[in-house]
């Protein structure tokens, strides 16, 4: 679980999000033995969302987080609140059929609304802002944007438009893109403060959240027992929401996802940042190894991208990220990377999430494939529904067929590297 520059012996660099956290969530370490209706492993968006839903239904809940709430992908990501699944609707229809693909789309739209509702209902100070552009780097992407507008219209979403020339430059000050598509549903936010806000809301609803409490063993049964260094939890049901960080706690789950590193920099606050994205929209391009970026509330550019399949961050990471950023915004030639950080994304083979039952009373959700800021919140909700006897919506996700990466981690990495090299090559064409 190493991916900070600090792990290379470089100066510790907390993420921009850590440096600007503004939600005072206090969580103890578990010390002693506890019995609850539902236990949750993992204090990211999935786990905190499930805790909030379950406590709201009157159940006793213990959430166990190995580090701090929001320490995983949920507190480190690009902050882009996206509808849909990473796999895309056309491929999803081929995987699950048209009816389930439509149900999954509708739930993904609910996922986006749920973020906004929760931010408002719990007054979460996370700089939530609507507005998003998908950017075409090459002619093939332009056609994909045109097709996407039609696909969205067929799903009942109006308002998406492809912009070029001066209309595009009114929204983004770059010559890198051939066209952009406005997304009427997507938004962006400060993901750590959002996750901490969900945690605080879950606490207020009665859930008990424990940090610095790694679960080291799970004993199955009608009453499940979880072991942690200083205590145990007995529970009627268990939700596993450890994302890419679950490691080998439940080895059978690990083969279905590949933990992949991806990275973000934050520039210093600059007066010229606002004019780069005058409508404060978040942006991602359509390359396979994509660039994603947005303004921060305090006038920085947060720029993400790059992938690595090693547990270590790439060398000279900040310089590489600055070079990517300057390809989009050469105007930022003298900008510095004041913060550089990364996190692990849990990718499935086909990029559709992986939900399932490991036992009648043990549910899991993982594999959001870089598309979980909105979807993980919905995952927590449908897991809570399933744990309280309404499994219909959870089962739509659980019906998505899954395939293991062949050969365990030793072979997963070369296979994915091969696939990524192919897509990187396509990015150049
Ligand atoms: C750099 C980066 C950029 C991204 N950008 C975007 C984006 O812009 N938009 C988007 O939609 N998605 C994005 N994602 C993906 C998104 O962040 C994730 O899909 C989502 O946060 C997953 O949430 P989660 O709660 O399932 O997992 P996490 O947030 O990873 O939480 C899992 C938690 O489980 C804990 N845990 C693991 N094992 C144990 C154990 N044994 N005991 C106790 N606790 C344990 C971990 O410590 C961790 O805190 C990005 C991810 C990264 C890393």
């Amino acid at each position: 679980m190493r991916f900070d520059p600090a792990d290379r012996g470089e100066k510790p660099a907390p993420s921009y999000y850590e440096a600007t956290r503004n939600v005072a969530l206090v969580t103890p370490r578990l010390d002693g033995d506890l019995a609850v209706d539902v236990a949750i492993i993992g204090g990211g968006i999935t786990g905190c969302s499930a805790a909030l839903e379950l406590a709201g239904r009157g159940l006793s809940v213990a959430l166990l987080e190995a580090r701090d709430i929001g320490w995983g992908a949920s507190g480190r990501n690009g902050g882009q609140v996206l509808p849909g699944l990473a796999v895309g609707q056309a491929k999803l229809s081929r995987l699950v059929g048209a009816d389930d693909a439509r149900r999954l789309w509708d739930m993904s739209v609910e996922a986006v609304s749920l973020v906004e509702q929760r931010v408002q209902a719990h007054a979460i100070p996370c700089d939530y802002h609507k507005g998003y552009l998908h950017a075409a780097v090459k002619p093939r992407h332009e056609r994909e944007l045109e097709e996407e507008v039609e696909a969205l219209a067929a799903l009942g979403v109006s308002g998406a438009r492809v912009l070029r020339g001066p209309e595009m430059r009114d929204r983004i000050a770059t010559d890198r893109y051939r066209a952009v598509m406005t997304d009427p549903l997507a938004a962006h936010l400060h993901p750590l403060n959002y996750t901490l806000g969900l945690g605080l809301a879950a606490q207020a609803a009665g859930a008990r959240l424990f940090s610095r409490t790694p679960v080291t063993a799970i004993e199955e049964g009608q009453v499940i027992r979880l072991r942690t260094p200083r205590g145990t939890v007995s529970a009627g049901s268990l939700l596993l929401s450890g994302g890419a960080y679950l490691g080998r706690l439940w080895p059978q789950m690990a083969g279905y996802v590949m933990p992949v590193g991806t990275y973000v920099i934050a520039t210093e606050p600059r007066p010229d940042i606002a004019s780069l994205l005058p409508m404060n929209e978040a942006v991602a391009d359509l390359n396979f190894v994509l660039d994603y970026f947005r303004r921060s509330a305090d006038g920085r550019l947060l720029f993400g991208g790059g992938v690595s399949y090693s547990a270590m961050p790439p060398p000279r990471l900040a310089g590489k990220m600055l070079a990517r950023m300057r390809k989009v915004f050469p105007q930022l030639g003298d900008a510095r990377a004041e913060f550089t950080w990364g996190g692990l994304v849990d990718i499935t083979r086909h990029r559709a999430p992986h939900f399932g039952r490991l036992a009648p009373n043990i549910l899991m959700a993982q594999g959001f494939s870089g598309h979980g800021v909105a979807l993980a919140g919905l995952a927590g909700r449908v897991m809570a529904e399933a744990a309280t006897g309404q499994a219909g919506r959870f089962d739509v996700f659980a019906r998505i067929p899954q395939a293991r990466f062949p050969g365990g981690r030793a072979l997963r990495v070369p296979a994915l590297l091969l696939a990524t090299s192919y897509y990187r090559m396509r990015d150049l064409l």
Side-chain angles (χ1 to χ4, degrees):
M1 280 204 269
R2 294 174 298 173
F3 44 79
D4 279 327
D7 295 324
R8 302 189 74 85
E10 295 169 13
K11 190 166 155 263
S15 74
Y16 162 74
Y17 301 131
E18 271 296 335
T20 51
R21 68 154 70 204
N22 62 5
V23 176
L25 174 65
V26 181
T27 47
R29 196 187 288 241
L30 176 67
D31 213 340
D33 301 326
L34 198 65
V36 289
D37 296 322
V38 185
I40 300 171
I41 299 179
I45 296 172
T46 309
C48 291
S49 167
L52 173 59
E53 293 279 333
L54 289 163
R57 290 160 190 245
L59 276 79
S60 59
V61 179
L63 180 151
L64 308 168
E65 163 56 48
R67 312 286 279 255
D68 286 312
I69 303 299
W71 178 86
S74 297
R76 297 163 174 272
N77 59 60
Q80 309 207 345
V81 180
L82 303 162
L85 274 51
V87 62
Q89 280 304 113
K91 188 164 171 196
L92 189 60
S93 284
R94 290 197 292 277
L95 280 172
V96 298
D99 290 348
D100 269 2
R102 175 73 216 206
R103 288 183 190 106
L104 289 162
W105 168 261
D106 289 342
M107 283 194 271
S108 84
V109 174
E110 176 186 334
V112 171
S113 318
L114 183 62
V115 173
E116 187 169 358
Q117 281 163 25
R118 284 173 164 171
V119 168
Q120 284 170 3
H122 305 292
I124 303 176
C126 62
D127 312 324
Y128 177 86
H129 188 86
K130 264 190 129 142
Y132 195 90
L133 303 172
H134 302 265
V137 183
K138 44 185 74 97
R140 168 167 61 85
H141 294 160
E142 267 187 281
R143 289 193 297 280
E144 284 170 26
L145 291 183
E146 298 287 0
E147 286 162 15
E148 185 62 17
V149 171
E150 283 170 28
L152 285 170
L155 288 162
V157 180
S158 58
R161 286 184 60 215
V162 175
L163 309 177
R164 296 182 173 83
E167 260 197 315
M168 175 177 75
R169 283 190 191 79
D170 284 347
R171 311 287 274 260
I172 176 166
T174 181
D175 292 326
R176 174 148 167 80
Y177 302 133
R178 304 175 65 92
V180 293
M181 188 196 89
T182 60
D183 188 321
L185 299 173
H188 60 97
L189 49 62
H190 186 305
L192 179 59
N193 287 334
Y194 170 65
T195 309
L196 293 170
L198 282 184
L200 201 59
Q203 255 186 356
R208 297 184 66 184
L209 273 52
F210 299 95
S211 54
R212 298 174 307 286
T213 304
V215 174
T216 52
I218 303 172
E219 286 167 27
E220 294 176 60
Q222 233 174 0
V223 175
I224 299 158
R225 261 169 68 89
L226 305 180
R227 262 187 268 138
T228 79
R230 297 193 192 184
T232 63
V233 175
S234 309
S237 306
L238 170 64
L239 309 185
L240 282 166
S241 54
Y245 298 92
L246 195 63
R248 305 216 48 85
L249 183 63
W250 198 291
Q252 298 91 316
M253 282 172 68
Y256 290 97
V257 288
M258 163 65 71
V260 172
T262 169
Y263 305 96
V264 190
I265 54 172
T267 67
E268 72 277 31
R270 292 169 61 104
D272 52 349
I273 297 288
S275 64
L276 302 179
L277 294 163
M279 297 183 67
N280 194 11
E281 288 156 313
V283 185
D285 72 33
L286 263 58
N287 274 331
F288 180 75
V289 181
L290 78 172
D291 291 335
Y292 50 92
F293 49 92
R294 62 193 186 89
R295 284 162 44 184
S296 70
D298 63 352
R300 303 165 191 270
L301 191 70
L302 308 183
F303 192 95
V307 290
S308 87
Y309 300 95
S310 148
M312 297 293 278
R316 297 179 302 283
L317 179 59
K320 286 180 184 160
M321 296 297 294
L322 283 169
R324 287 182 83 114
M325 181 189 78
R326 287 178 189 135
K327 262 177 121 171
V328 183
F329 296 121
Q331 308 89 309
L332 297 181
D334 61 342
R336 290 177 295 114
E338 213 161 84
F339 299 93
T340 305
W341 70 97
L344 295 178
V345 172
D346 45 348
I347 289 190
T348 60
R349 278 184 69 177
H350 49 34
R351 311 288 188 269
H354 178 201
F355 287 41
R357 284 182 184 75
L358 300 166
N361 54 355
I362 304 182
L363 305 177
M364 47 122 337
Q366 65 175 6
F368 299 104
S369 304
H371 211 89
V373 171
L375 206 55
L378 198 272
R381 172 176 274 184
V382 301
M383 285 172 106
E385 289 168 3
T388 51
Q390 299 162 299
R393 300 192 330 147
F394 181 87
D395 287 340
V396 177
F397 280 96
R399 282 199 289 270
I400 300 173
Q402 299 292 333
R404 286 172 191 277
F405 283 89
R409 188 175 167 90
L411 286 181
R412 269 186 293 161
V413 173
L416 205 71
L417 273 175
L418 206 66
T420 310
S421 311
Y422 165 74
Y423 284 111
R424 266 188 218 276
M425 215 164 67
R426 260 171 67 98
D427 285 351
L428 298 174
L429 301 176

